[in-house]
Amino acid sequence: MKDRRVYKILEKVKSLEGTMRSMTDEELQGMTVKLRSQLKEGKTTDQILPEAYGAICEADRRILGVMPYDVQILGAIALHKGYLAEMFTGEGKTLMATMPLYLNALTGKSTILVTANEYLASRDADELRPVFSFMGLTERAGVPRDPGEPLTNGQKKENYAADILYTTHSILAFDYLLNNLVSKAEDRFLREFYFVIIDEADSVLLDGAQMPLVISGSPRVQSNLYAMTDFFVTTLKEGRDYEKEDKSVWLTDRGVEYAERFFGIPDFYAHEYFEINRHVTLALRAHVLFEKQSDYMLSDDGEIVLLDNSTGRSLPGMKLRGGAHQALEEKEHVKLSQEQRSVASVTYQNLFLMFPKMCGMSGTISDAKRELFDVYHKLVFVVPPRKKVRRVDRRDRFFSSAQEQYEAALQETLARHRTGQPVLVVTATIQDTQIFSRMLVDHKVPHSVLNANNAYWEAEIIAEAGQMNAVTVSTGMAGRGTDIRLQDGVQELGGLAVIGIGRMENLRLERQARGRAGRQGDPGSSQFFVSLEDEVVLAMTGEKTEPYIDGERHISRRKLRRLINGAQKTMVEQSVSSREQSVRYDKILRRQREILYGARDRLLDRDTIQKDVVRKLIRDDLMIFMDENPKLTHGELTRFALDNLTYELDPQQLPEPGNTRADRKRALERLESYADELYNRKTAIFSDEDQLQEYLRQCILNALDDCWIDEVDYLQQLQYAITTRGTAQRNPIFEYSREAYQSFGDMKKTMKKKIVRNFFLGDPQVGKDGRMNIVFP
């Protein structure tokens, strides 16, 4: 998209260049105070943008020795206007971000830049801190300096209090969830969200948005169903007992009947058999949808390590949720880790939609502009390159078999390597890097490999890829955010040659790979070698291509091209559908999350809890108990009172329940009267109203958190199990929404019971420091 307003604002910024350059350092630094004052007087960030951009551009020149180019200013204006900016690789997105960050930080509100990994967040923060410091702003990196050492709440509070924060999308998401799990107001560390720039936006908003982020804790009782359902699944036959399509697998009607016979249950989908249903679904997915060395690998000490197959990165410490990890462990016959309950969850889609002002930048984002508009309501602004692109993108070469494909790619690599030209070989999967590396070893070609096994050295490996004679083999990660600078003399050899092996999951990944060459007008070339045996093609076409691969049937070049490119198109559609599904599921959870988090914030902010509200909760709890027990005995009533109202029960105070409606009404009135007496006794132990209010807040907060953990955990498990509902002619989203609504109602009822129980049976102890500690029942 081309927005003429952006170009007009660029002219205003450029017209101030001479004025800013003529200022002394003190005068330039004084612009921050001046602009902040103008905002307080009622001006908008749009109105002060030209001066703010002019000032920070001059600061970039003085401190970093680099003056932003016109295209960088253009992109920076687009970012402030809320666009997702596509900017060619090597055009300087890092410097471009200084302008909107500076402008929006002047408001005093939360201003954040998130990127794809901790290395980039730390690197960019360190590089640009002197500029922001010069202009009187604080800037921090919100990532651990030492991997594996998490930040404390105090450190996080300092980071988020800074004018500008550089962090990663995953750290921000987990911090949002953790911030809503604290039990004391002073432990909160997040400021209210305001402005965010998402670097590598397509990677974060699309590729990273397939699955929600989940915080796990509170170990659940280990199930004994994993081994049984794993064995059951090994007896199933595809086509007869289950069917698979794309990334989904489900039992057929015949498979459901077999499961009911196997487990001796009347209805596989009945609520009371949910755990059996869930474990069968988990085992089936583990065996059918997860491939070893593609989706996960076994570490030397026998642990399941997940892999991001599109980037090649291993994901140490990360586990699949809802029991899926334990199902994989059972499949591989390794020791089962402790299954954790999900205690909080959010998707990237809903996280970033919380920001009133959100924008992003990437080298490859325009291909997904429709989905980005549908999900995030954002338009894409394509920033023109500063210099004409000289990279030559050669036509793809198509092959029937992987053997022909690899041999052709090898010969091309060897031919270019013999001239001294640097070569970057980008593969679609981790296994492909290993295969091609072995072929290079056989031909005695020195090279570097970048995949899950050495991702720590990612930036260093990629940065050296432009050296004379260098051969680098990488998965699709190819050092996002890292420039490949050419050694002197390489331009004359044709620049960096990118050789792609395998059709990738989408065009954006291929454009990202091609974009490694030809930065800022450098020469370069790219070419992809693809075949019917590429993982994307096999996953989307199944057995259809086998006769062509084996040579049993002839295939025309036109059909070969159509099959391979069509497979990628189908996978893109599937990925879009998967992300849409994830958004729909989380939209249902989001409504509940907003209600609960809002209630938590009001409690932490010490809202007054009216006594009438507490008394009503008590009456509601007693009515629920009486309604749920129509044939109540005196013994059951005594048990209820001991479990929920008092440990020092006077049995004479309890009524005889009776059988008639009038009897039960009188019994309820007697019970309410006894509860009122206990309420007055309980409130009398507190020395003042503040103590009582603190006690009430803690009682409600404890009940709310316990019930919310159960709700989140149940809904996370339900998402896994719900996929099989399609075989019962049911809409999974409708089923999920219906059950989520029902479970939320059940949760509210349980929450009332827990609040009342906490109030009556909680034991408050006030320490010498005046702080209250409560032992809950």
Side-chain angles (χ1 to χ4, degrees):
M1 175 175 181
K2 189 169 183 177
D3 187 337
R4 294 187 182 279
R5 294 173 302 168
V6 175
Y7 284 85
K8 287 182 180 178
I9 297 170
L10 171 63
E11 292 173 9
K12 291 181 182 177
V13 176
K14 292 295 291 180
S15 69
L16 295 170
E17 189 175 317
T19 303
M20 298 296 170
R21 189 161 296 191
S22 66
M23 289 183 178
T24 64
D25 282 357
E26 291 76 16
E27 288 171 333
L28 185 61
Q29 290 168 328
M31 288 297 296
T32 298
V33 177
K34 174 188 169 185
L35 293 169
R36 276 180 164 164
S37 176
Q38 289 179 357
L39 287 172
K40 288 178 182 176
E41 291 167 2
K43 281 195 174 183
T44 66
T45 49
D46 285 352
Q47 289 172 322
I48 68 166
L49 185 150
E51 279 192 293
Y53 276 27
I56 195 68
C57 283
E58 178 60 19
D60 286 335
R61 187 188 71 83
R62 293 187 191 186
I63 304 303
L64 302 177
V66 184
M67 183 72 179
Y69 298 117
D70 287 5
V71 291
Q72 290 172 311
I73 300 172
L74 194 68
I77 297 167
L79 288 177
H80 175 71
K81 291 293 184 183
Y83 287 106
L84 298 172
E86 177 172 292
M87 194 174 195
F88 278 34
T89 301
E91 291 284 297
K93 291 188 285 292
T94 305
L95 190 65
M96 178 173 78
T98 60
M99 291 171 260
L101 287 174
Y102 173 72
L103 171 61
N104 285 279
L106 292 172
T107 64
K109 298 177 182 177
S110 168
T111 301
I112 300 173
L113 183 142
V114 300
T115 190
N117 61 58
E118 294 179 16
Y119 166 79
L120 293 176
S122 181
R123 182 201 69 179
D124 292 351
D126 289 345
E127 182 182 331
L128 298 172
R129 190 172 297 117
V131 176
F132 294 123
S133 180
F134 174 80
M135 293 302 287
L137 299 183
T138 56
E139 180 255 82
R140 296 181 78 97
V143 299
R145 284 293 174 184
D146 299 312
E149 289 190 16
L151 299 173
T152 65
N153 269 29
Q155 291 171 315
K156 288 179 181 180
K157 191 174 284 190
E158 287 182 12
N159 289 339
Y160 283 103
D163 294 314
I164 296 166
L165 178 71
Y166 281 75
T167 187
T168 69
H169 54 296
S170 59
I171 287 176
L172 179 65
F174 283 122
D175 279 350
Y176 165 73
L177 295 174
L178 290 169
N179 192 65
N180 284 287
L181 291 173
V182 299
S183 57
K184 299 187 184 75
E186 58 267 27
D187 289 339
R188 288 181 295 189
F189 47 82
L190 275 185
R191 289 200 282 164
E192 187 177 348
F193 287 154
Y194 173 62
F195 178 75
V196 66
I197 300 176
I198 304 166
D199 193 12
E200 304 298 347
D202 58 329
S203 174
V204 175
L205 297 178
L206 299 176
D207 302 329
Q210 299 276 49
M211 299 285 280
L213 286 93
V214 177
I215 288 181
S216 296
S218 311
R220 61 170 54 250
V221 176
Q222 193 71 295
S223 170
N224 60 0
L225 288 172
Y226 287 112
M228 190 187 303
T229 51
D230 185 79
F231 173 74
F232 167 72
V233 163
T234 61
T235 67
L236 301 180
K237 184 176 180 182
E238 186 173 0
R240 182 190 70 189
D241 301 311
Y242 69 88
E243 290 182 7
K244 173 191 172 188
E245 182 178 315
D246 300 336
K247 292 288 184 181
S248 299
V249 60
W250 61 89
L251 293 179
T252 62
D253 290 342
R254 187 169 173 178
V256 171
E257 291 171 7
Y258 174 36
E260 289 169 348
R261 291 196 309 273
F262 186 93
F263 293 102
I265 58 176
D267 184 357
F268 185 69
Y269 294 108
H271 186 78
E272 56 266 37
Y273 302 116
F274 172 74
E275 282 300 313
I276 291 176
N277 182 327
R278 178 173 82 95
H279 280 77
V280 168
T281 303
L282 293 172
L284 191 58
R285 290 172 64 88
H287 278 269
V288 179
L289 300 183
F290 287 85
E291 290 186 29
K292 193 173 178 180
Q293 298 304 125
S294 176
D295 300 297
Y296 67 93
M297 63 184 183
L298 282 178
S299 66
D300 293 339
D301 52 2
E303 289 188 357
I304 299 281
V305 179
L306 300 179
L307 300 173
D308 182 339
N309 199 31
S310 63
T311 65
R313 290 188 174 98
S314 62
L315 306 169
M318 187 171 287
K319 291 190 173 185
L320 294 169
R321 59 199 169 93
H325 207 85
Q326 287 70 28
L328 271 183
E329 290 168 334
E330 187 64 53
K331 169 190 171 183
E332 294 296 337
H333 304 298
V334 298
K335 183 181 178 183
L336 266 62
S337 58
Q338 177 66 56
E339 185 181 352
Q340 304 286 311
R341 292 195 297 170
S342 300
V343 299
S345 168
V346 70
T347 60
Y348 285 131
Q349 290 96 329
N350 279 320
L351 174 74
F352 289 115
L353 287 171
M354 293 177 199
F355 283 85
K357 297 181 69 175
M358 183 262 276
C359 58
M361 51 191 186
S362 174
T364 52
I365 205 167
S366 58
D367 293 314
K369 58 186 176 184
R370 183 170 181 176
E371 183 184 356
L372 290 164
F373 183 79
D374 289 343
V375 175
Y376 300 98
H377 318 298
K378 291 293 176 183
L379 295 171
V380 173
F381 183 95
V382 179
V383 181
R386 186 172 68 89
K387 293 182 179 179
K388 186 178 179 181
V389 178
R390 293 167 60 196
R391 186 186 67 242
V392 178
D393 294 326
R394 293 185 169 84
R395 288 184 178 180
D396 297 342
R397 293 182 61 183
F398 295 82
F399 301 90
S400 298
S401 70
Q403 185 177 345
E404 299 170 298
Q405 169 194 20
Y406 275 85
E407 188 57 40
L410 177 65
Q411 293 306 317
E412 181 71 17
T413 302
L414 294 175
R416 291 181 178 276
H417 179 61
R418 280 193 288 268
T419 69
Q421 183 179 9
V423 179
L424 173 63
V425 181
V426 181
T427 69
T429 68
I430 300 165
Q431 299 94 310
D432 293 342
T433 63
Q434 296 165 343
I435 293 168
F436 200 75
S437 175
R438 284 196 294 271
M439 295 173 74
L440 290 172
V441 169
D442 291 342
H443 284 76
K444 297 181 174 55
V445 177
H447 61 282
S448 300
V449 180
L450 176 57
N451 59 25
N453 298 321
N454 54 10
Y456 179 79
W457 304 104
E458 174 182 341
E460 287 79 359
I461 291 172
I462 282 295
E464 296 299 314
Q467 301 297 303
M468 197 96 65
N469 293 305
V471 176
T472 309
V473 183
S474 170
T475 48
M477 58 164 60
R480 270 186 182 261
T482 307
D483 270 349
I484 297 177
R485 299 181 183 276
L486 301 182
Q487 184 183 4
D488 291 342
V490 168
Q491 289 207 14
E492 290 73 18
L493 297 173
L496 178 68
V498 172
I499 294 175
I501 300 178
R503 190 89 295 165
M504 295 192 175
E505 292 182 9
N506 56 59
L507 279 172
R508 288 182 293 103
L509 289 171
E510 293 182 6
R511 284 184 62 207
Q512 182 74 27
R514 293 182 191 276
R516 297 293 96 202
R519 61 178 293 280
Q520 293 194 14
D522 285 343
S525 65
S526 71
Q527 187 168 34
F528 269 79
F529 295 72
V530 296
S531 81
L532 292 175
E533 290 193 84
D534 290 343
E535 190 166 294
V536 167
V537 182
L538 292 174
M540 295 297 104
T541 60
E543 300 173 357
K544 191 191 302 183
T545 56
E546 283 186 12
Y548 304 122
I549 295 170
D550 297 339
E552 295 174 11
R553 292 181 61 186
H554 172 72
I555 184 170
S556 66
R557 292 174 65 85
R558 185 176 178 182
K559 186 171 184 179
L560 181 65
R561 191 160 48 244
R562 191 170 68 245
L563 270 174
I564 294 173
N565 291 341
Q568 184 187 59
K569 186 179 178 182
T570 303
M571 180 158 277
V572 168
E573 291 169 353
Q574 174 191 303
S575 297
V576 170
S577 176
S578 174
R579 288 191 287 267
E580 287 175 350
Q581 193 93 322
S582 180
V583 170
R584 289 194 195 104
Y585 280 131
D586 195 60
K587 192 174 182 180
I588 295 163
L589 182 59
R590 184 184 71 188
R591 295 180 193 133
Q592 299 186 14
R593 185 169 54 230
E594 287 171 351
I595 293 169
L596 267 292
Y597 285 178
R600 283 189 103 259
D601 282 338
R602 289 191 294 275
L603 288 167
L604 292 175
D605 291 332
R606 303 183 181 278
D607 273 11
T608 300
I609 300 162
Q610 301 297 329
K611 292 176 183 177
D612 287 348
V613 172
V614 180
R615 288 181 182 276
K616 186 177 184 306
L617 284 172
I618 294 170
R619 285 196 299 272
D620 288 349
D621 182 39
L622 298 178
M623 289 177 65
I624 290 169
F625 169 70
M626 295 294 284
D627 290 343
E628 289 178 346
N629 297 275
K631 296 180 179 179
L632 190 63
T633 65
H634 193 273
E636 289 170 336
L637 188 56
T638 302
R639 185 73 263 163
F640 169 78
L642 286 168
D643 287 343
N644 295 276
L645 302 179
T646 178
Y647 292 134
E648 299 173 354
L649 178 67
D650 178 1
Q652 300 301 318
Q653 294 274 26
L654 294 179
E656 286 295 335
N659 294 319
T660 68
R661 182 177 294 182
D663 288 340
R664 290 176 63 78
K665 185 179 179 182
R666 281 193 295 272
L668 178 59
E669 288 171 353
R670 284 273 309 275
L671 195 57
E672 286 178 347
S673 176
Y674 183 44
D676 275 343
E677 183 184 327
L678 293 173
Y679 172 85
N680 291 330
R681 278 192 228 162
K682 189 74 177 187
T683 54
I685 70 172
F686 297 99
S687 60
D688 55 39
E689 182 65 20
D690 286 345
Q691 264 196 9
L692 173 60
Q693 285 292 321
E694 179 61 22
Y695 180 69
L696 291 174
R697 274 192 289 270
Q698 292 300 324
C699 287
I700 296 172
L701 193 62
N702 175 271
L704 185 151
D705 286 348
D706 279 353
C707 292
W708 179 238
I709 286 172
D710 287 341
E711 176 73 352
V712 171
D713 186 50
Y714 172 68
L715 292 180
Q716 290 298 320
Q717 295 175 58
L718 184 62
Q719 282 188 36
Y720 268 88
I722 207 81
T723 54
T724 59
R725 301 291 175 90
T727 62
Q729 285 75 49
R730 300 173 182 177
N731 182 308
I733 293 292
F734 175 78
E735 287 288 300
Y736 180 79
S737 178
R738 182 179 61 79
E739 296 208 20
Y741 180 80
Q742 181 182 327
S743 69
F744 190 68
D746 293 341
M747 179 192 72
K748 288 194 291 184
K749 194 183 291 185
T750 305
M751 196 181 295
K752 285 182 181 180
K753 294 178 181 179
K754 287 199 173 191
I755 292 171
V756 172
R757 188 165 185 259
N758 282 349
F759 172 76
F760 282 121
L761 302 183
D763 181 16
Q765 302 289 334
V766 180
K768 291 181 180 178
D769 59 357
R771 298 188 67 156
M772 184 182 295
N773 294 306
I774 305 168
V775 179
F776 288 110

